[in-house]
Amino acid sequence: MRLRKRMLDDLDRDIRDHIAQETQDNIERGMSPEEARYAALRKFGNVTRVKEDSREVWIFRWLEELLQDLRFGLRMLRKNPGFTAVAVLTLALGIGANTAIFSVVNGILIEHLPYKDSSRLLTIRREQIAYPISFDEVEDIRRECPAFESIALYHQYGPLILGGATPERRSSSYVSGDFFLLLGVDPLLGRLVLPEDTKPGQPQVTVLSYRLWMDQFGGDQRILGREIVVEKDLYTVIGVMPREFEMGADWMGDSNEGLWVPLVPSAWNPRKSGRPGGEIIARVKKGVTGSEVDAQLQVLSDRFAGKYPKNRRGIQLGAHPPGLQIFPALRAGILILFGAVGIVLLMASVNVSALLMARARARQNELAIRTALGASRLRIIRQLLLESVLLALAGGAFGLLFSAWGIRLLRAIAPPGTPRVDRFHIDSNVLWFTLGISLLAAILFGLLPALQASSRRLWGVLQGGLGGVFAGTVTRQRHSLRSALVIAEVALAAVLVVSGALLARSFQKLMNIDTGVRADHVLTLWVQLSDFGCAQKEAETECPPKTQRILDGINALPGMERAVLSMSGPLQGGMIWDGKLYVEGVQGELSFRGSERAVAPDFFATVGMHVL
């Protein structure tokens, strides 16, 4: 206010000085003082008009008008509490649903992984998983790919953890000594795996994930130095990772890992016990493009074809951004749901737009009088849009409240294995999204009524009220517009209803499809024995008695008909591999990709599967 007053004072002083100078010039030309002043005023023009024109270009004038429109809009909304409540609640439901679903999109698909300069990180792996990356290949990549600043090895698998309150299977990983250094992360407690921990003969140490630390050890601050049993071996806990740290979704569908242990090159055999191969985590040098990385990896893949055994040839190295291993069906489902709630918001906007049009009809005399008094169409549109923005912001505020409840519900009903459920929350991305869709909704439902209500034909409303011919034309236009809005809303509702019916029908058909397996009265139970299914030296001595005791215990349960073993469920995949098929009478060999699983003799009878 002080600045505004000072600028007004300066303007008055400039005008006075200009008139005084012109008056003095006229006196010097021989005019009397009184005549000279009148001549100066006539030449200068209307002082008040000049002041108004000067203030028009000041930002203060625009702010003053905006504040006036804001105060007037708030008064109009307070004068109509019923309309305001209905409009705000309608928008809140649409915005709240969109915000809740966007929190899922943000947590799973958008939010960056919590690593230092994550945009420069890549994972390098073979495009076929049958052959894991060896240490020799890792060294070749480190030595012959100048695009990478540093690389580390990461090998994920799921052991049986015996050191907590109850035996529990968790996703755990071998990591090279520079793995955590490359990612640029710090532990919550203790220290991380260092290069010296991967040397032969060093004590076996481990770093726990935050979730494992809380679930199995109750967040015990004295966990450092404690020994836990992993795969029959003792590991000393040296650190705990922060809650936000994660390293991709594991093969069990869980995005939070259990623990990390040092990868000792001399003792590591990635193909032993059927464990999947590892991945290379690489940090790209600044300024290096993706095409340069691909070109260097292609050259290296060609070299591997002649350097390594025949069964490794033809397998390309691929670089991929690090992130969650999201199944395409999950990604598509999330985006479809996001699109569906977007249609809900669009319907809410159409509803509010119809309400605003009805309200504008009740205010037509007021708007016509303002137009007749000199209010420009732009000023009236701005006034009406500002009222729409106020409604949208109020709806967005209440929508955030509804979305908080919706997020809690989504967490509760999320299927097991849904990645990053703990990331479903309201953060800065969600807040900006809510603000954005609130303003977008204000434009969607406010612009059309504002344009229609500010029409220059409004001055005819006053004449129409006195028996003129203008009111009929305006009324017919409004009826046509309202009819169009109703048609649009019915069309949007039809899209949602038909889509929902089709999804329900598809789900019903999927539930009744004949899979060739008797689904009723058949249950599957995942059992993992220590040391990855007793697959090593104890397989012939300890593993059969253990599995037989499990089967005997299950078969002894009341109502149990039969229990058998299988390496995977009836409708689950097995180990994928490439093979060659030789057929009598056919020259050459047939290449194919197949999957295999080991099953007990009574497996087919138990699951009701018949040989074709």
Side-chain angles (χ1 to χ4, degrees), residues 164-454:
T166 57
E168 183 176 353
R169 185 185 62 182
R170 288 289 181 125
S171 169
S172 303
S173 304
Y174 290 117
V175 296
S176 59
D178 50 359
F179 173 75
F180 292 106
L181 297 176
L182 181 147
L183 295 180
V185 295
D186 296 317
L188 180 65
L189 295 176
R191 68 174 180 88
L192 301 174
V193 175
L194 299 176
E196 50 266 28
D197 294 320
T198 62
K199 296 179 180 179
Q202 293 296 315
Q204 297 191 109
V205 296
T206 182
V207 177
L208 304 182
S209 70
Y210 182 88
R211 179 182 291 184
L212 176 62
W213 178 52
M214 296 299 295
D215 292 349
Q216 283 284 333
F217 306 101
D220 186 3
Q221 298 286 334
R222 298 170 296 178
I223 189 67
L224 298 181
R226 180 174 172 178
E227 290 186 334
I228 63 173
V229 179
V230 181
E231 297 280 298
K232 297 183 179 181
D233 296 325
L234 285 177
Y235 284 82
T236 302
V237 178
I238 60 173
V240 176
M241 295 304 296
R243 174 185 296 180
E244 62 272 12
F245 179 80
E246 57 190 340
M247 192 56 204
D250 71 349
W251 65 289
M252 295 181 294
D254 190 354
S255 62
N256 282 67
E257 304 202 18
L259 51 82
W260 296 267
V261 298
L263 194 157
V264 181
S266 61
W268 183 60
N269 184 358
R271 303 196 66 184
K272 181 174 59 179
S273 305
R275 293 170 179 167
E279 290 184 354
I280 293 176
I281 310 299
R283 180 174 293 279
V284 180
K285 293 179 180 178
K286 291 183 179 180
V288 175
T289 63
S291 58
E292 293 178 292
V293 172
D294 293 337
Q296 293 183 17
L297 290 180
Q298 180 61 48
V299 172
L300 200 58
S301 298
D302 296 339
R303 293 182 185 177
F304 285 176
K307 182 177 181 180
Y308 292 103
K310 182 178 180 181
N311 60 4
R312 290 177 178 266
R313 296 180 184 178
I315 300 176
Q316 297 293 317
L317 294 174
H320 308 272
L324 299 180
Q325 299 171 9
I326 305 299
F327 292 107
L330 175 60
R331 182 188 301 272
I334 293 174
L335 295 179
I336 289 173
L337 185 59
F338 190 41
V341 295
I343 295 179
V344 172
L345 178 59
L346 192 57
M347 291 177 60
S349 300
V350 173
N351 269 321
V352 177
S353 183
L355 290 174
L356 285 174
M357 290 192 64
R359 183 166 175 264
R361 183 181 181 186
R363 298 176 60 186
Q364 60 184 358
N365 287 335
E366 168 211 332
L367 298 176
I369 291 174
R370 293 184 64 183
T371 301
L373 292 176
S376 65
R377 189 182 187 190
L378 181 61
R379 180 69 182 272
I380 292 178
I381 292 175
R382 186 176 66 185
Q383 171 66 52
L384 297 177
L385 277 180
L386 188 58
E387 293 179 15
S388 301
V389 170
L390 292 174
L391 286 175
L393 292 179
F398 282 99
L400 278 176
L401 178 62
F402 293 157
S403 69
W405 299 335
I407 291 172
R408 285 198 289 267
L409 177 62
L410 290 173
R411 287 177 178 175
I413 66 175
T418 301
R420 305 180 82 174
V421 176
D422 57 329
R423 297 296 183 92
F424 301 171
H425 59 264
I426 297 175
D427 60 3
S428 59
N429 287 344
V430 176
L431 290 176
W432 281 112
F433 172 79
T434 304
L435 178 60
I437 62 171
S438 298
L439 296 178
L440 178 62
I443 296 174
L444 288 176
F445 69 75
L447 184 58
L448 189 59
L451 291 174
Q452 196 274 336
S454 63

Side-chain angles (χ1 to χ4, degrees), residues 61-98:
R61 180 62 178 268
W62 184 84
L63 290 176
E64 284 178 353
E65 292 180 353
L66 185 63
L67 291 176
Q68 289 174 3
D69 292 341
L70 180 62
R71 288 192 295 267
F72 184 77
L74 289 173
R75 286 200 303 269
M76 295 302 295
L77 294 180
R78 285 199 302 266
K79 283 180 60 178
N80 298 273
F83 162 81
T84 302
V86 172
V88 169
L89 182 60
T90 302
L91 291 172
L93 292 175
I95 294 174
N98 277 266

Side-chain angles (χ1 to χ4, degrees), residues 27-45:
I27 292 174
E28 293 178 356
R29 294 189 187 102
M31 293 183 183
S32 65
E34 183 176 356
E35 184 181 359
R37 179 169 177 78
Y38 282 130
L41 289 173
R42 286 194 304 269
K43 183 178 180 180
F44 187 82

